Each structure stands twice: as structure tokens, then as C-alpha cells.
Amino acid sequence: MIVTFMNQQLITRRMRRIVISALSLCLAATSLFAQPVAADVVTVGTVTTSGNVVNVPVYIRDVSGTPLGIDQPAGSRIQSFSIKVNYAPASAVQSVTFTRAGITAPLTPTFENSPQTAGSVSLLDTFAEATNLIPFTSNAGAPGDYIGTLHFVLASAATPGTTIALTLDPVLTQLTDEGGSPATRESVGGGNLVLVAGAINVTAAVPTLSTWALALLAAILAFAALRLRIS
């Protein structure tokens, strides 16, 4: 009886160790899979305007550890991008252009196009890595490097209080190497690209005084001060 009881105790302790070890392995595996996957970021800026002409910056943040990046070997750099921006309400926009800017402005692309549809505009650029390397800063602070500008001319429908939403198309916004290799392409669907939307906030214009109005105001204030001294 004593021997049987001791054997049972020994088996119970062994089972407890096995269960604890299994739980530890499960927790370790869960922690491993829960780690965030590195992703590059495309951001459209948010601006406030009281006029009908406004420029909105567009950025790309090159994060280390992604398939493409300045930290990767030659041939795996961000050298081509397709960025499609949707804007709404479309009635608030008279016209829009999307051009290179910032770190891409001095570069010469091997291909460039900026197609438009009602309510959207895109910028597609490809650069030769050997002669026109895009000089991204690895892990630059958000929102990253300035690469393009959306130049908007607003319509009369963009009255004060209007917000024009600027969203990035999750399918047609992609980053690739010079050759567009599918193996290193970054997209929302691939889990290695994050898109950050922006907006144009239209406010009322602040009235400004003309030179003559300022002179008249100064004269009135001077006259009022003189009367106070006399009294």
C-alpha cells in the first residue's frame, strides 16, 4: 500500500512537470506569434486652409526589417511606388495634381504617370537604383520622408466647416523594388504596409485690414488717446 501510494505521488509530480512544461511552451509560442510584423507606412497629411488653393504632403516611412528598405541589400530597396488617393466629397474639389516632392524631387524616374478618375488621383513612379537611389532615412520619425505633394484647387462647394477626406486605396497603394518583384512587394494585403489617411479642413477666412483701414484705425486711436489726456 505504501509503495503504491509513493508511486502514485511520483507519477502525479511527473505529470505536473509535464503540464507546466507544455504550458510554458504554449506561452512562449503565443508570445512569438504575437510580436508585431514590421511594416512600412504611407501617410497623407492633414491640413487646414481658409483659401481655395492648398498643398497636402505625402510621406513614406521606411521601417527596418521589412522586405524593402534602405537597410536591405542592393536590389531590395524602395525604388517604385504606386499611391492612389481618394478624396470626398469630390464636389468640393475643382482640380488636383499629384507630383513628386521632397526626396524624390531631384530624381529622374524611368517611368512616371499620374492618372485621375472622379474622386481620385494617383502617382506612379519608378527609379533606377544604380543612378537614382531614393535616399530614404531608415526608421525616420513619423510620418517619414516627404515624397510627394497633392496640389488642390477647391471648388465653391468647399465652404467653411467642410472636411475633405483623403484616403489611400488599400489595393492600388503599393511599394516595390525597381523591377516590381512580387517576392518583395509591400501592400496592405501582404501585411507589410500601413496606410494613414489625411484630410483638408476648410475654415473661414480671417478678414484682413487694408493699409488705409489700418491708417484710419491708428488715427482714431491717436485721437482717443489725445482726448483722454485733455480730460
Side-chain angles (χ1 to χ4, degrees):
M1 290 289 293
I2 295 175
V3 173
T4 301
F5 176 76
M6 291 178 66
N7 286 339
Q8 289 176 344
Q9 289 291 95
L10 182 60
I11 292 172
T12 300
R13 285 196 295 270
R14 287 178 178 174
M15 288 297 295
R16 188 180 296 116
R17 292 194 191 101
I18 292 171
V19 170
I20 292 173
S21 298
L23 287 173
S24 298
L25 288 173
C26 288
L27 289 172
T30 301
S31 175
L32 179 64
F33 287 114
Q35 292 179 354
V37 177
D40 289 328
V41 185
V42 178
T43 299
V44 179
T46 295
V47 299
T48 298
T49 183
S50 59
N52 70 323
V53 175
V54 59
N55 292 321
V56 180
V58 178
Y59 307 88
I60 294 177
R61 184 167 185 258
D62 183 359
V63 178
S64 62
T66 56
L68 295 171
I70 206 73
D71 64 313
Q72 297 298 325
S76 295
R77 311 282 172 76
I78 302 173
Q79 288 294 123
S80 182
F81 51 78
S82 167
I83 301 174
K84 182 178 180 181
V85 179
N86 300 312
Y87 53 89
S91 60
V93 175
Q94 179 177 313
S95 66
V96 59
T97 57
F98 196 174
T99 59
R100 286 180 289 113
I103 63 171
T104 66
L107 304 181
T108 301
T110 57
F111 173 82
E112 183 171 64
N113 193 18
S114 183
Q116 295 192 35
T117 62
S120 74
V121 61
S122 302
L123 181 62
L124 292 77
D125 269 304
T126 299
F127 304 89
E129 183 178 313
T131 56
N132 285 267
L133 177 69
I134 305 179
F136 284 105
T137 301
S138 184
N139 296 320
D145 291 300
Y146 175 36
I147 60 91
T149 297
L150 293 157
H151 180 77
F152 284 92
V153 177
L154 304 184
S156 57
T159 55
T162 300
T163 294
I164 303 171
L166 307 175
T167 57
L168 289 155
D169 188 297
V171 175
L172 298 181
T173 299
Q174 300 182 359
L175 308 179
T176 69
D177 57 29
E178 176 186 345
S181 172
T184 55
R185 180 179 293 123
E186 296 183 356
S187 65
V188 173
N192 43 32
L193 186 64
V194 173
L195 308 181
V196 179
I200 299 173
N201 299 310
V202 182
T203 62
V206 178
T208 57
L209 295 175
S210 67
T211 302
W212 285 106
L214 288 172
L216 178 60
L217 178 62
I220 293 172
L221 292 175
F223 179 73
L226 180 61
R227 291 196 61 180
L228 286 174
R229 286 181 183 178
I230 294 175
S231 60

Coordinates of all heavy atoms in Angstrom, one line a residue, residues 5-63:
F5 N 1.2 4.0 -3.0 CA 0.9 5.4 -2.7 C 2.1 6.3 -3.2 O 1.9 7.3 -3.8 CB 0.7 5.6 -1.2 CG 0.5 7.1 -0.9 CD1 -0.8 7.7 -1.2 CD2 1.5 7.8 -0.2 CE1 -0.9 9.0 -0.8 CE2 1.3 9.1 0.1 CZ 0.1 9.7 -0.2
M6 N 3.3 5.8 -2.9 CA 4.5 6.6 -3.3 C 4.7 6.6 -4.8 O 5.0 7.7 -5.4 CB 5.8 6.0 -2.7 CG 5.9 6.1 -1.2 SD 7.3 5.3 -0.5 CE 8.6 6.3 -1.2
N7 N 4.3 5.5 -5.5 CA 4.4 5.5 -6.9 C 3.4 6.5 -7.5 O 3.6 7.2 -8.5 CB 4.1 4.1 -7.5 CG 5.3 3.2 -7.2 OD1 6.4 3.6 -7.1 ND2 5.0 1.9 -7.2
Q8 N 2.2 6.5 -6.9 CA 1.2 7.5 -7.4 C 1.6 8.9 -7.2 O 1.4 9.8 -8.1 CB -0.1 7.2 -6.6 CG -0.8 5.9 -7.0 CD -2.1 5.7 -6.2 OE1 -2.3 6.3 -5.2 NE2 -2.9 4.7 -6.7
Q9 N 2.3 9.2 -6.1 CA 2.7 10.5 -5.8 C 3.8 10.9 -6.8 O 3.8 12.1 -7.3 CB 3.3 10.6 -4.4 CG 2.3 10.6 -3.3 CD 1.5 11.8 -3.3 OE1 0.4 11.9 -3.9 NE2 2.0 12.9 -2.6
L10 N 4.7 10.0 -7.2 CA 5.8 10.2 -8.1 C 5.2 10.5 -9.5 O 5.6 11.4 -10.2 CB 6.7 9.0 -8.2 CG 7.9 9.1 -9.1 CD1 8.8 10.3 -8.7 CD2 8.7 7.8 -9.1
I11 N 4.2 9.7 -9.9 CA 3.5 9.9 -11.2 C 2.8 11.3 -11.2 O 2.9 12.0 -12.2 CB 2.5 8.8 -11.5 CG1 3.2 7.4 -11.7 CG2 1.6 9.1 -12.7 CD1 2.3 6.2 -11.7
T12 N 2.2 11.7 -10.1 CA 1.5 12.9 -10.1 C 2.5 14.1 -10.2 O 2.2 15.1 -11.0 CB 0.8 13.1 -8.7 OG1 -0.2 12.0 -8.6 CG2 0.0 14.4 -8.7
R13 N 3.7 14.0 -9.6 CA 4.7 15.1 -9.7 C 5.2 15.1 -11.1 O 5.4 16.2 -11.7 CB 5.8 14.8 -8.7 CG 5.5 15.1 -7.3 CD 6.7 15.3 -6.4 NE 7.4 14.0 -6.3 CZ 7.2 13.1 -5.4 NH1 6.2 13.3 -4.4 NH2 7.9 12.0 -5.3
R14 N 5.4 14.0 -11.8 CA 5.9 14.0 -13.2 C 4.8 14.6 -14.1 O 5.2 15.3 -15.0 CB 6.2 12.5 -13.6 CG 7.5 12.0 -12.9 CD 7.7 10.6 -13.4 NE 9.0 10.1 -12.8 CZ 9.3 8.8 -12.9 NH1 8.6 7.9 -13.6 NH2 10.5 8.4 -12.4
M15 N 3.6 14.2 -13.9 CA 2.5 14.8 -14.7 C 2.4 16.3 -14.6 O 2.2 17.0 -15.5 CB 1.2 14.1 -14.4 CG 1.0 12.7 -14.8 SD 1.1 12.5 -16.6 CE -0.4 13.4 -17.1
R16 N 2.6 16.8 -13.3 CA 2.6 18.2 -13.1 C 3.7 18.9 -13.8 O 3.5 20.0 -14.4 CB 2.7 18.5 -11.6 CG 2.4 19.9 -11.2 CD 2.5 20.2 -9.7 NE 1.5 19.5 -9.0 CZ 1.7 18.5 -8.1 NH1 3.0 18.1 -7.8 NH2 0.7 17.9 -7.5
R17 N 4.9 18.3 -13.8 CA 6.0 18.9 -14.5 C 5.8 18.9 -16.0 O 6.1 19.9 -16.7 CB 7.3 18.1 -14.3 CG 7.8 18.2 -12.8 CD 9.3 17.7 -12.7 NE 9.7 17.5 -11.4 CZ 9.7 16.4 -10.7 NH1 9.3 15.3 -11.3 NH2 10.1 16.3 -9.5
I18 N 5.2 17.9 -16.6 CA 4.9 17.8 -18.0 C 3.9 18.9 -18.4 O 4.0 19.6 -19.4 CB 4.3 16.4 -18.4 CG1 5.5 15.4 -18.2 CG2 3.8 16.4 -19.8 CD1 5.0 13.9 -18.4
V19 N 2.8 19.0 -17.5 CA 1.8 20.0 -17.8 C 2.4 21.4 -17.8 O 2.1 22.3 -18.6 CB 0.6 19.9 -16.8 CG1 -0.3 21.1 -17.0 CG2 -0.1 18.6 -17.0
I20 N 3.3 21.7 -16.7 CA 3.9 23.0 -16.6 C 4.8 23.3 -17.8 O 4.8 24.4 -18.4 CB 4.7 23.1 -15.3 CG1 3.7 23.1 -14.1 CG2 5.5 24.4 -15.3 CD1 4.4 23.0 -12.8
S21 N 5.5 22.3 -18.3 CA 6.4 22.5 -19.4 C 5.6 22.7 -20.7 O 6.0 23.6 -21.5 CB 7.3 21.2 -19.6 OG 8.1 21.0 -18.5
A22 N 4.5 22.0 -20.8 CA 3.7 22.2 -22.0 C 3.1 23.6 -22.0 O 3.0 24.3 -23.1 CB 2.6 21.2 -22.0
L23 N 2.6 24.1 -20.8 CA 2.1 25.4 -20.7 C 3.1 26.5 -21.0 O 2.8 27.5 -21.7 CB 1.5 25.7 -19.3 CG 0.2 24.9 -19.0 CD1 -0.2 25.1 -17.6 CD2 -1.0 25.4 -19.9
S24 N 4.3 26.3 -20.6 CA 5.4 27.2 -20.8 C 5.7 27.3 -22.3 O 5.9 28.4 -22.9 CB 6.7 26.8 -20.1 OG 6.5 26.8 -18.7
L25 N 5.7 26.2 -23.0 CA 6.0 26.2 -24.4 C 4.8 26.9 -25.2 O 5.1 27.6 -26.1 CB 6.1 24.7 -24.9 CG 7.4 24.0 -24.6 CD1 7.3 22.5 -25.0 CD2 8.6 24.6 -25.2
C26 N 3.6 26.7 -24.8 CA 2.5 27.4 -25.4 C 2.6 28.9 -25.2 O 2.3 29.6 -26.1 CB 1.2 26.8 -24.8 SG 0.7 25.1 -25.3
L27 N 2.9 29.3 -24.0 CA 3.0 30.7 -23.7 C 4.2 31.3 -24.6 O 4.0 32.5 -25.1 CB 3.3 31.0 -22.3 CG 2.1 30.7 -21.3 CD1 2.5 30.8 -19.9 CD2 1.0 31.7 -21.6
A28 N 5.3 30.6 -24.7 CA 6.4 31.1 -25.5 C 6.0 31.2 -26.9 O 6.3 32.2 -27.6 CB 7.6 30.2 -25.3
A29 N 5.3 30.2 -27.5 CA 4.8 30.3 -28.9 C 3.9 31.4 -29.1 O 3.9 32.1 -30.1 CB 4.2 28.9 -29.2
T30 N 2.9 31.6 -28.1 CA 2.0 32.7 -28.3 C 2.7 34.0 -28.3 O 2.3 34.9 -29.1 CB 1.0 32.6 -27.1 OG1 0.3 31.4 -27.1 CG2 0.0 33.8 -27.2
S31 N 3.7 34.2 -27.4 CA 4.4 35.4 -27.4 C 5.2 35.7 -28.7 O 5.2 36.8 -29.2 CB 5.4 35.4 -26.2 OG 6.2 36.6 -26.2
L32 N 5.7 34.6 -29.3 CA 6.4 34.7 -30.5 C 5.5 35.2 -31.6 O 5.8 36.1 -32.4 CB 7.1 33.4 -30.9 CG 7.9 33.3 -32.2 CD1 9.0 34.3 -32.1 CD2 8.3 31.9 -32.4
F33 N 4.4 34.5 -31.7 CA 3.4 34.9 -32.8 C 2.8 36.2 -32.6 O 2.3 36.8 -33.5 CB 2.4 33.8 -33.0 CG 2.9 32.5 -33.6 CD1 3.0 31.3 -32.9 CD2 3.4 32.5 -34.9 CE1 3.5 30.2 -33.4 CE2 3.9 31.4 -35.5 CZ 4.0 30.2 -34.7
A34 N 2.7 36.7 -31.4 CA 2.0 37.9 -31.1 C 2.9 39.1 -31.4 O 2.4 40.3 -31.4 CB 1.6 38.0 -29.6
Q35 N 4.2 38.9 -31.7 CA 5.1 40.0 -32.0 C 4.6 40.7 -33.3 O 4.3 40.1 -34.2 CB 6.5 39.5 -32.1 CG 7.1 39.1 -30.8 CD 8.5 38.5 -31.0 OE1 9.0 38.5 -32.1 NE2 9.2 38.2 -29.9
P36 N 4.6 42.1 -33.3 CA 4.1 42.8 -34.4 C 5.1 42.6 -35.6 O 6.3 42.5 -35.4 CB 4.1 44.2 -34.0 CG 5.1 44.3 -32.8 CD 5.0 42.9 -32.2
V37 N 4.5 42.5 -36.8 CA 5.3 42.4 -38.0 C 5.7 43.8 -38.5 O 4.9 44.7 -38.5 CB 4.5 41.6 -39.1 CG1 5.3 41.6 -40.4 CG2 4.2 40.2 -38.6
A38 N 7.0 44.0 -38.8 CA 7.4 45.3 -39.3 C 6.7 45.7 -40.6 O 6.4 44.8 -41.4 CB 8.9 45.3 -39.5
A39 N 6.3 46.9 -40.7 CA 5.6 47.4 -41.9 C 6.0 48.8 -42.2 O 6.2 49.7 -41.3 CB 4.1 47.4 -41.6
D40 N 6.2 49.1 -43.5 CA 6.5 50.5 -43.9 C 5.1 51.2 -43.9 O 4.1 50.6 -43.8 CB 7.1 50.5 -45.3 CG 8.5 50.0 -45.3 OD1 9.2 50.2 -44.3 OD2 8.9 49.4 -46.3
V41 N 5.2 52.6 -44.0 CA 4.0 53.4 -43.8 C 3.9 54.4 -44.9 O 4.9 55.1 -45.2 CB 4.0 54.1 -42.5 CG1 2.7 54.8 -42.2 CG2 4.2 53.1 -41.3
V42 N 2.7 54.6 -45.5 CA 2.4 55.7 -46.4 C 1.4 56.6 -45.8 O 0.4 56.1 -45.3 CB 1.8 55.2 -47.8 CG1 1.5 56.4 -48.7 CG2 2.8 54.2 -48.5
T43 N 1.7 57.9 -45.7 CA 0.8 58.8 -44.9 C 0.5 60.0 -45.8 O 1.3 60.6 -46.5 CB 1.6 59.3 -43.7 OG1 1.9 58.2 -42.8 CG2 0.7 60.3 -42.9
V44 N -0.8 60.3 -45.8 CA -1.3 61.6 -46.4 C -1.5 62.6 -45.3 O -2.1 62.3 -44.2 CB -2.6 61.4 -47.1 CG1 -3.1 62.7 -47.7 CG2 -2.5 60.3 -48.2
G45 N -1.0 63.8 -45.5 CA -1.0 64.8 -44.4 C -2.4 65.3 -44.2 O -3.4 65.2 -45.0
T46 N -2.6 66.0 -43.1 CA -3.9 66.7 -42.7 C -3.5 68.2 -42.6 O -2.6 68.6 -41.9 CB -4.4 66.2 -41.4 OG1 -4.8 64.8 -41.6 CG2 -5.7 67.0 -41.0
V47 N -4.3 69.0 -43.4 CA -4.0 70.5 -43.4 C -5.3 71.2 -43.2 O -6.4 70.7 -43.4 CB -3.4 70.9 -44.7 CG1 -2.0 70.2 -44.9 CG2 -4.3 70.6 -45.9
T48 N -5.1 72.5 -42.7 CA -6.3 73.4 -42.5 C -6.0 74.6 -43.4 O -4.9 75.1 -43.5 CB -6.4 73.8 -41.1 OG1 -6.6 72.7 -40.3 CG2 -7.5 74.8 -40.9
T49 N -7.1 75.0 -44.1 CA -7.0 76.1 -45.1 C -8.2 77.0 -45.0 O -9.3 76.5 -44.8 CB -6.7 75.6 -46.5 OG1 -6.5 76.7 -47.4 CG2 -7.9 74.8 -47.0
S50 N -8.0 78.3 -45.3 CA -9.1 79.2 -45.4 C -9.2 79.7 -46.9 O -10.0 80.5 -47.2 CB -8.9 80.4 -44.5 OG -7.7 81.1 -44.7
G51 N -8.2 79.3 -47.7 CA -8.2 79.7 -49.1 C -8.7 78.5 -50.0 O -9.1 77.4 -49.5
N52 N -8.6 78.8 -51.3 CA -9.1 77.7 -52.2 C -8.0 77.0 -52.9 O -8.2 76.0 -53.7 CB -10.0 78.3 -53.3 CG -9.2 79.2 -54.3 OD1 -8.2 79.9 -53.9 ND2 -9.6 79.2 -55.6
V53 N -6.7 77.3 -52.5 CA -5.6 76.6 -53.0 C -4.8 76.0 -51.8 O -4.5 76.7 -50.9 CB -4.6 77.5 -53.8 CG1 -3.4 76.7 -54.2 CG2 -5.3 78.0 -55.1
V54 N -4.5 74.7 -51.9 CA -3.9 74.1 -50.7 C -3.0 72.9 -51.2 O -3.4 72.2 -52.1 CB -5.0 73.6 -49.7 CG1 -5.9 72.6 -50.3 CG2 -4.3 72.9 -48.5
N55 N -1.9 72.8 -50.5 CA -0.9 71.7 -50.8 C -0.9 70.7 -49.7 O -0.8 71.1 -48.5 CB 0.5 72.2 -51.1 CG 0.6 73.0 -52.3 OD1 0.0 72.7 -53.3 ND2 1.4 74.1 -52.3
V56 N -1.1 69.4 -50.0 CA -1.1 68.4 -48.9 C 0.1 67.5 -49.1 O 0.3 66.9 -50.2 CB -2.4 67.6 -49.0 CG1 -2.4 66.5 -48.0 CG2 -3.6 68.5 -48.9
P57 N 1.0 67.3 -48.1 CA 2.2 66.5 -48.3 C 1.8 65.0 -48.2 O 0.9 64.6 -47.5 CB 3.1 66.9 -47.1 CG 2.1 67.4 -46.1 CD 0.9 68.0 -46.8
V58 N 2.6 64.2 -48.8 CA 2.5 62.7 -48.8 C 3.9 62.2 -48.4 O 4.9 62.6 -48.9 CB 2.1 62.1 -50.1 CG1 2.0 60.6 -50.1 CG2 0.7 62.7 -50.5
Y59 N 3.9 61.2 -47.5 CA 5.1 60.7 -46.9 C 5.2 59.1 -47.1 O 4.2 58.5 -47.1 CB 5.2 61.0 -45.4 CG 5.0 62.4 -45.1 CD1 3.8 63.0 -44.8 CD2 6.1 63.3 -44.9 CE1 3.6 64.3 -44.5 CE2 6.0 64.6 -44.6 CZ 4.7 65.1 -44.3 OH 4.5 66.4 -44.0
I60 N 6.4 58.6 -47.1 CA 6.7 57.2 -47.0 C 7.7 57.0 -45.8 O 8.7 57.7 -45.8 CB 7.3 56.6 -48.2 CG1 6.2 56.6 -49.4 CG2 7.7 55.1 -48.0 CD1 6.7 56.1 -50.7
R61 N 7.3 56.2 -44.9 CA 8.3 55.8 -43.8 C 8.9 54.5 -44.0 O 8.2 53.5 -44.1 CB 7.5 55.9 -42.4 CG 8.5 55.7 -41.2 CD 7.8 56.0 -39.9 NE 8.7 55.9 -38.8 CZ 8.8 54.9 -38.0 NH1 7.9 53.9 -38.1 NH2 9.7 54.8 -37.0
D62 N 10.2 54.5 -44.2 CA 10.9 53.2 -44.4 C 11.4 52.6 -43.1 O 12.3 53.1 -42.4 CB 12.2 53.6 -45.3 CG 13.0 52.4 -45.7 OD1 12.6 51.2 -45.3 OD2 14.0 52.5 -46.4
V63 N 10.7 51.5 -42.8 CA 10.9 50.9 -41.5 C 11.9 49.7 -41.7 O 11.7 48.9 -42.6 CB 9.6 50.4 -40.8 CG1 9.9 49.6 -39.5 CG2 8.7 51.6 -40.6

